[in-house]
């Protein structure tokens, strides 16, 4: 059974072939007459089938169009019957009445079908008027004018002769209007337009040639039949079900539209040159002059409309250029301009806000939910700022408030803003919670105030999310971090980093089961720089991504060397940061490094912290991808994060590294050992390996073994030490 799509295509192919084969029949024969009328009637039948099958929402317009085509075909049948009965064709006759009666029906249906749901655009109407006027000028010069001047013909005959080109011009207005609406680009309306253009073109050729007694049918009649075929296919196509929505503006002028309008505008001078070349005395000066004037005025009207459109767009673009589209607040550009003006006239205060926890929400729930949250936060900021102040979204999840010199104190406003932002936000069906770190600054020029506010904001974020006013001492800390970040880059290039390895042992005998790879930095001037100092700087600067790749590759090369010499432990661990997990293609990078170094994925343990994966999103997906490669996942510092037990349900964890805070007091009686006991029970119940971190004494090791722990790590078993590739993994005991 043919589908709806194949039905229209099959009909179109068969009908077009039938139309093109028409000239093969004997001219003016009975077979030719039956053939033409059969194609026409089958086209009407196809339209009715299409309306019944597709059930369009504008069914009346399609039925009206089918009625117009049926009226046109009825004119053909009447013409043929009259000619067969009388032996000649009287002019005018009832066939002409049917032909002319079809045009209003076709015009009304095309106008309704091409109107769409949108508003009328003046530009498209003017374009349609230009096209119709140019076509009308051709008809006037070639048919209407000479017919009116022929006083020897009966009046009724001249009126009917004039009525045909006028009807064509009427139909042209509907077709041109349909073509000038960009949204009318559905396959159905395209086929409808193609058929109408074919009919108008054939009508123009027929009318022109008939006036000179040169018309003999042939391929011109084939053109009419192809138009019927296109109309039938248009009704059968499924895209005819819905009237198109106005999605694109028709007031603009693209290259193709400009070319089309230019060609139609040049018809007036083209006709002038043509008449001048064939017979200067026959030039229709009045008609051509009037037509050229109308076209000129329409072009001027079109240009005026474009100028108005450009002005309106300029105003709108100016407004968009100074406002954030998502929140409606001022944007960075507008804020900086207002700040410059405020600095010139007084001493304003700037509050710079950065949302805490937004990235985790955005990664976990998606950008749509994140955008909703930002819009709500923006509205709360707008509600809190006093009159005369400027609230702006500076980009991402960063906002700013400009307070004039006489406004409320910055600290008071910061307290209110933090309180308003911290209230739960309902977005995307979720109740979400974010905080805000706020930096306050004044004094200096526009650039200096923003710099100070930025420094204060990051100081507030480092303090756990609160508000801080800028003080000169904050610059020292910022400058130190900037210097350290630059030195990190140099250290990586110069090879100043190295890895040390700390054993993870089996209890109670202490045999090495695995090692953890740890990075160390010996600075040529600073000396030893603790990871607690440089790792956070690398995280904030983004260098942790490159540094983490170096750690992974170096550890894999070391393990491969141990493996070749037969002294490798069962597994080796590498710590991975939240920034690395969020990096696109991280799992693919790990797989490539393992393949490059020849290390089996089952030998690698990737250690992640609870905070790194708490927000979900890309980090959790990366962990899942690593697990799918056969890499073991260890949850580091377990028990200190936000939702430890919940993570065990969502992450493919194989190893729990119990934080040292639960180990250091494990030998004390009472409640101190309860958490350590509970955690080993959780691990055993889930079939996970528990590793006790921070074991410092033999007493702790013995108590952990009694509680059920079989893996431990800490200075009691060995301090982190550099590797010796050809020896066993030996570390000092303390």
């Amino acid at each position: 059974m043919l589908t709806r799509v194949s039905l229209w295509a099959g009909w179109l192919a068969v009908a077009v072939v039938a139309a093109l084969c028409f000239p093969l029949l004997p001219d003016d024969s009975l077979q030719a007459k039956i053939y033409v009328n059969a194609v026409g009637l089958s086209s009407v039948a196809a339209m009715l089938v299409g309306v019944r099958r597709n059930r369009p929402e504008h069914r009346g317009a399609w039925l009206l169009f089918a009625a117009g085509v049926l009226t046109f075909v009825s004119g053909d049948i009447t013409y043929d019957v009259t000619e067969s009965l009388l032996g000649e064709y009287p002019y005018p006759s009832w066939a002409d009445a049917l032909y002319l009666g079809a045009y209003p029906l076709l015009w009304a249906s095309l106008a309704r079908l091409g109107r769409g749901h949108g508003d009328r655009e003046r530009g498209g109407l003017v374009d349609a008027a230009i096209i119709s006027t140019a076509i009308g000028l051709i008809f006037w010069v070639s048919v209407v004018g000479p017919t009116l001047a022929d006083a020897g013909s009966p009046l009724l005959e001249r009126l009917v002769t004039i009525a045909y080109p006028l009807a064509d011009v009427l139909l042209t207005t509907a077709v041109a209007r349909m073509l000038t609406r960009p949204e009318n680009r559905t396959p159905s309306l395209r086929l409808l337009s193609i058929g109408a253009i074919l009919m108008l073109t054939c009508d123009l050729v027929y009318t022109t040639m008939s006036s000179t007694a040169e018309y003999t049918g042939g391929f011109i009649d084939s053109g009419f039949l192809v138009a019927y075929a296109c109309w039938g296919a248009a009704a059968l196509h499924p895209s005819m079900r819905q009237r198109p929505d106005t999605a694109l503006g028709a007031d603009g002028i693209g290259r193709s539209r400009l070319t089309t309008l230019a060609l139609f505008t040049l018809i007036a001078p083209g006709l002038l040159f043509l008449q001048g070349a064939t017979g200067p005395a026959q030039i229709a000066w009045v008609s051509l002059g009037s037509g050229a004037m109308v076209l000129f005025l329409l072009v001027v009207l079109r240009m005026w409309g474009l100028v108005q459109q450009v002005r309106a767009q300029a105003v709108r673009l100016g407004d968009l250029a100074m406002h954030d589209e998502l929140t409606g607040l001022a944007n960075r550009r507008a804020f900086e301009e207002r700040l410059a003006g405020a600095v010139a006239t007084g001493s304003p205060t700037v509050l710079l806000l950065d949302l805490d926890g937004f990235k985790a929400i955005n990664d976990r729930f998606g950008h749509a939910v994140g955008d909703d949250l930002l819009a709500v936060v923006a509205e709360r900021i707008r509600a809190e700022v006093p009159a005369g102040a400027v609230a702006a979204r500076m980009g991402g999840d960063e906002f700013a408030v400009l307070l004039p010199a006489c406004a409320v104190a910055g600290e008071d406003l910061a307290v209110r803003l933090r309180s308003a932002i911290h209230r739960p936000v309902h977005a995307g069906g979720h109740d979400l919670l974010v905080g805000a770190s706020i930096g306050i600054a004044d004094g200096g020029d526009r650039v200096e105030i923003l710099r100070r506010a930025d420094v204060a904001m990051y100081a507030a974020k480092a303090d756990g999310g609160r508000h801080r006013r800028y003080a000169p001492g904050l610059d020292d800390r910022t400058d130190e971090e900037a210097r350290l970040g630059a030195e990190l880059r140099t250290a990586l290039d110069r090879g100043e980093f190295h890895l040390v390895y700390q054993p993870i042992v089996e209890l109670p005998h202490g045999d090495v089961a695995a090692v953890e790879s740890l990075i160390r930095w010996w600075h040529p001037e600073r000396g030893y720089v603790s990871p607690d100092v440089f790792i956070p700087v690398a995280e904030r600067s983004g260098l942790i991504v490159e540094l983490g790749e170096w750690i992974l590759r170096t550890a894999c090369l070391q393990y491969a060397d141990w493996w070749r010499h037969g002294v490798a432990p069962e597994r080796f661990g590498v710590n991975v940061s939240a920034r690395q997990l969020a990096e696109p293609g991280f799992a693919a990078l790990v797989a490539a490094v393992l393949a490059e170094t020849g290390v089996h994925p089952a030998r690698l343990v990737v250690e992640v912290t609870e905070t790194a994966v708490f927000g979900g999103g890309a980090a959790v997906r990366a962990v899942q991808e690593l697990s799918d490669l056969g890499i073991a996942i260890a949850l580091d510092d377990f028990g200190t994060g936000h939702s430890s037990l919940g993570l065990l349900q969502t992450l493919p964890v194989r190893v729990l590294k119990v934080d040292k805070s639960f180990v250091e007091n494990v030998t004390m009686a009472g409640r101190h050992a309860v958490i350590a006991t509970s955690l080993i029970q959780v691990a055993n119940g889930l079939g996970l390996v528990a590793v006790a971190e921070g074991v410092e004494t033999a007493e702790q090791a013995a108590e952990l073994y009694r509680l059920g722990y079989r893996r431990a790590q800490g200075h009691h078993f060995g301090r982190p030490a550099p590797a010796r590739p050809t020896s066993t993994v030996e570390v000092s005991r303390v």
Side-chain angles (χ1 to χ4, degrees), residues 53-202:
R53 288 173 63 90
N54 294 319
R55 300 183 183 277
E57 64 177 62
H58 41 327
R59 180 171 177 270
W62 279 101
L63 291 177
L64 187 64
F65 189 84
V69 177
L70 179 61
T71 304
F72 217 97
V73 175
S74 300
D76 287 336
I77 296 174
T78 302
Y79 177 94
D80 293 336
V81 171
T82 302
E83 187 178 41
S84 299
L85 293 176
L86 301 179
E88 60 179 357
Y89 174 62
Y91 183 75
S93 70
W94 288 110
D96 295 293
L98 290 171
Y99 287 140
L100 293 174
Y103 282 96
L105 298 176
L106 296 176
W107 178 87
S109 58
L110 287 175
R112 290 175 59 184
L113 290 171
R115 188 166 59 239
H117 288 302
D119 299 329
R120 297 180 178 179
E121 324 89 352
R122 294 179 181 177
L125 292 173
V126 175
D127 293 345
I130 291 174
I131 295 172
S132 301
T133 300
I135 296 295
L137 187 59
I138 296 175
F139 278 121
W140 189 276
V141 171
S142 60
V143 179
V144 177
T147 301
L148 291 175
D150 184 13
S153 301
L155 178 60
L156 181 59
E157 181 178 328
R158 283 188 289 165
L159 291 177
V160 172
T161 301
I162 293 172
Y164 277 107
L166 294 180
D168 280 325
V169 173
L170 176 69
L171 192 59
T172 300
T173 61
V175 176
R177 188 67 192 96
M178 178 179 288
L179 294 175
T180 54
R181 292 187 72 100
E183 72 274 13
N184 289 338
R185 293 174 182 170
T186 63
S188 176
L189 291 184
R190 285 181 185 272
L191 287 168
L192 209 61
S193 300
I194 292 171
I197 291 172
L198 277 171
M199 178 184 173
L200 290 171
T201 303
C202 293

Side-chain angles (χ1 to χ4, degrees), residues 76 107 124 128-129 221 293 296 513 592 617 637 649 675:
D76 287 336
W107 178 87
D221 288 337
M293 184 177 296
F296 174 76
D637 301 331
Q649 297 177 335
I675 296 180

